[in-house]
Amino acid sequence: MKTIVQNRSISLRFLPIRAVQTVEACPGKAFIYRIPHIRQDCKHAEKGLELVDLEFVKEGVNWYLRVYIDKDSGVNIDDCEAVSRALEVKLDEKDPIEQAYILEVSSPGIDRPLKKDADFVKYQGEIIDVKLYKAQDGSKQYQGRLLGLENGVLSIEEENGNVVKFEQKDIASVRLAVIF
């Protein structure tokens, strides 16, 4: 697919959107839905953009399709606008979502989530925050230097030098730490 936005060429590839599937439902929070089939293959090759995450969330009366993009040099408003315009065309063409929704495109922020195996390689050595579904050694939250992800086991080194390992299935989220 080729789209021209403000005289700039954009090339995005998408996998078919097959279904909206429930991944997580937290009491007291909006239900979070994921559309898994476009998340791995969305590329904006000329600008080096990658699709970091995608979520379909109901907040109050509105549904939001949130698309998080990134690139090595950082995302700017022009990148978000270009991807939003290209996505609008593709989503209108395929019409995969029945209800009305608001499309939001943004960067993942400074506390970027780490989800793909490549993320754990790219950010090895960085300080990360790990949240668990259930407590391990009395805690559900950990912070430490990312040592790696191998065979479904995440390893971090805490500030005190202790190495802590987590089974990937027990991890609710991993994000880059924001340290001031």
Side-chain angles (χ1 to χ4, degrees), residues 133-163:
Y133 291 117
K134 59 183 180 179
Q136 177 176 313
D137 297 326
S139 182
K140 289 177 69 175
Q141 297 183 25
Y142 289 83
Q143 186 175 78
R145 185 168 311 283
L146 173 60
L147 299 177
L149 176 67
E150 190 172 323
N151 299 321
V153 178
L154 175 69
S155 300
I156 66 168
E157 180 181 6
E158 294 180 303
E159 190 174 17
N160 63 9
N162 288 340
V163 173

Side-chain angles (χ1 to χ4, degrees), residues 5 10 12 67 69 78-91 103-105:
V5 177
I10 300 166
L12 291 168
V67 179
I69 59 174
D78 292 334
D79 296 325
C80 293
E81 178 188 5
V83 170
S84 178
R85 290 184 188 274
L87 274 174
E88 285 173 358
V89 169
K90 195 68 168 177
L91 290 168
L103 175 63
E104 294 181 348
V105 177

Side-chain angles (χ1 to χ4, degrees), residues 12-92:
L12 291 168
R13 293 184 314 145
F14 299 90
L15 291 173
I17 300 173
R18 296 199 179 103
V20 176
Q21 300 173 350
T22 303
V23 172
E24 178 181 345
C26 301
K29 291 186 179 182
F31 292 115
I32 297 175
Y33 297 89
R34 301 252 185 236
I35 302 173
H37 300 288
I38 49 177
R39 67 181 288 155
Q40 292 181 355
D41 201 31
C42 178
K43 283 281 187 183
H44 184 296
E46 289 84 11
K47 290 189 172 187
L49 287 171
E50 69 169 311
L51 178 63
V52 172
D53 200 7
L54 176 70
E55 60 185 15
F56 191 53
V57 183
K58 185 172 185 183
E59 294 179 2
V61 297
N62 295 318
W63 284 91
Y64 293 87
L65 176 59
R66 292 200 175 110
V67 179
Y68 299 95
I69 59 174
D70 202 9
K71 66 180 179 182
D72 290 338
S73 61
V75 173
N76 61 41
I77 192 73
D78 292 334
D79 296 325
C80 293
E81 178 188 5
V83 170
S84 178
R85 290 184 188 274
L87 274 174
E88 285 173 358
V89 169
K90 195 68 168 177
L91 290 168
D92 286 345

